[in-house]
Amino acid sequence: MPRRKSNPQSTPTTAATVGYEAELWKMADTLRGSMDAAEYKHVVLGLIFLKYISDAFEELHRKLEAERAQGADPEDPDEYRAQNIFWVPPEARWAHLKAQARQPTIGQLVDNAMACIERDNPALKGVLPKEYARPALDKTRLGQLIDLISNIKVGDEEARAKDVLGRVYEYFLSQFASAEGKKGGEFYTPRCVVKLLVEMLEPYRGRVYDPCCGSSGMFVQSMEFIRAHANGNGNGGKAKADISIYGQESNYTTWRLAKMNLAIRGIEGQIAHGDTFHNDRFPDLRADFILANPPFNVSDWGGERLRDDKRWQYGVPPVGNANFAWVQHIIHHLAPTGVAGFVLANGSMSSNQSGEGEIRKNIIEADLVDCMVALPGQLFYSTQIPACLWFLARDRSGKGGSLTRSYRDRRGEILFIDARKMGRMVDRTHRELTDEEIKRIADTYHAWRGVGADGSLPKYQDIPGFCKSATLEEVRKHGYVLTPGRYVGAAEQEEDDEPFDQKMRRLVAQLREQQAEAAKLDAAIAANLKELGYEG
């Protein structure tokens, strides 16, 4: 998918920064004042959403205005709905709000605009924030924010094709996650992690499910994947957005963000609000692809009320940790040839507490575990807990294949990938995987599974220190621990062609130099102590 080019003076493009978004964030953040980031998030993202749908509306409005002679009516809501564009009533249009931005009533005007848009567009009912009139929100700052967002140029078709506002929206989500720390990070999965999951699973078509969808990053990235690969790359040039999206989110405000995030990009999906464990909104769904980043090590998930749940086919998960409740919920919702990729804390690979080891053993013996990836640290905004990726597959025989590919028979084997040394620091505290690293991991998985665009089986080979295809018997010998470091071994050392005698002479000379330096330091310390009267 094309990306907006930044000017030569701007920040270099990474998955975290895309040109001018960083400057826009800095300006918006200066208008926050004393408001908490968690509150301000909805103020800003709500306005960004409103700007987007208003711009798309205005573009079509101008076109219809020019076609009045042919019978077009620019004030007919059905003209817009026919082209999948939200109808924006006059009092909610951006030009109207911008003209009133410096008025003390601007908060009430924005709330009214949000209410009118929800009234006229049932898909957005209950989604948009309507808290702009509250006394705690400085109306002068609100007006300045409206002026700032007015400068984002997204009205033309080209800018929409580049997903300019969607990128701004996502960048702001990541920055709020960083500003809020753990609380904000719970609903935001770093873009590079989502991209890795999507590139490995390749959800071209079928039912895609995320049981804890946060702000819908998995779905957005899946659609980007399809667009990026639309001209082939394993799908014969026939990739289409033939995806049915299902998601659930328990946090109401995050659920609203998810709905807006999808609407900004014109993605349709069934995103339900509710507790996934206690109110599964898709009880009969069997998904072709499941992608998820469940919250790590949740202790208050209400497991004591679900002791006899039908989802616990491989063992009852402990009340004090929801990790294996998530794993089994995901398995429960997999279609017969479905595949899943999800993030979990590293402890899930080796823990034997409260029956977790037995559950993991049962899942492994059921031949569901396809691949394990150890991730580098500092990828997540929400936690410093080391994380890993689990990949599960219902049918690993190679006969069922998937929706688009053919596979080797990998029954009785598990691929282990150790990516802990990968990634680059993008700021003082956060790391991200590069596109090249993501490709290397995904290509390794595809070669191992036997994914060939032409039906061929690519060559896979173990690489010491990076990847290893282990048998079930090897995993049993390791006590069903799934930590990749146990299997991949150490990386091969480069050949050392320095003759032994020469190396020893060099090392001895180096040792003598270090000993002489140590003697000088000892003498200097002794002299200092003597000067202070401590020469004993």
Side-chain angles (χ1 to χ4, degrees), residues 127-173:
V127 171
L128 305 184
K130 293 174 282 292
E131 301 161 348
Y132 293 88
R134 57 189 167 153
L137 180 55
D138 185 308
K139 301 307 177 287
T140 301
R141 290 179 188 273
L142 176 59
Q144 291 172 321
L145 192 59
I146 289 171
D147 285 343
L148 175 63
I149 293 173
S150 296
N151 295 325
I152 308 175
K153 304 299 183 186
V154 293
D156 62 359
E157 194 173 331
E158 182 186 357
R160 289 216 307 277
K162 292 178 180 177
D163 192 25
V164 171
L165 209 68
R167 293 288 284 161
V168 170
Y169 188 92
E170 180 184 302
Y171 182 75
F172 273 43
L173 273 175

Side-chain angles (χ1 to χ4, degrees), residues 450-463:
V451 184
D454 56 359
S456 65
L457 298 179
K459 180 176 174 54
Y460 165 83
Q461 63 181 29
D462 293 340
I463 301 173

Side-chain angles (χ1 to χ4, degrees), residues 72-83:
D73 181 1
E75 294 301 322
D76 179 2
D78 288 337
E79 294 267 22
Y80 299 86
R81 290 169 185 147
Q83 298 198 38

Side-chain angles (χ1 to χ4, degrees), residues 97-109 139-140 142-143:
L97 295 177
K98 187 183 178 187
Q100 304 293 319
R102 301 294 177 173
Q103 300 301 316
T105 55
I106 184 60
Q108 188 56 54
L109 290 172
K139 301 307 177 287
T140 301
L142 176 59

Side-chain angles (χ1 to χ4, degrees), residues 472-534:
L472 184 53
E473 189 53 45
E474 289 176 85
V475 176
R476 288 181 184 127
K477 287 177 181 175
H478 282 282
Y480 298 96
V481 169
L482 293 175
T483 308
R486 291 248 184 144
Y487 301 91
V488 302
E492 289 182 351
Q493 299 298 311
E494 287 187 20
E495 282 294 323
D496 184 356
D497 55 4
E498 185 179 8
F500 177 77
D501 185 60
Q502 183 179 323
K503 179 188 284 190
M504 284 304 297
R505 289 179 188 281
R506 178 175 58 79
L507 292 175
V508 168
Q510 191 177 324
L511 176 62
R512 294 287 181 257
E513 287 176 16
Q514 290 169 347
Q515 286 174 329
E517 186 65 28
K520 286 181 187 175
L521 291 173
D522 286 343
I525 292 169
N528 288 336
L529 288 173
K530 183 177 181 180
E531 194 173 316
L532 293 169
Y534 297 102

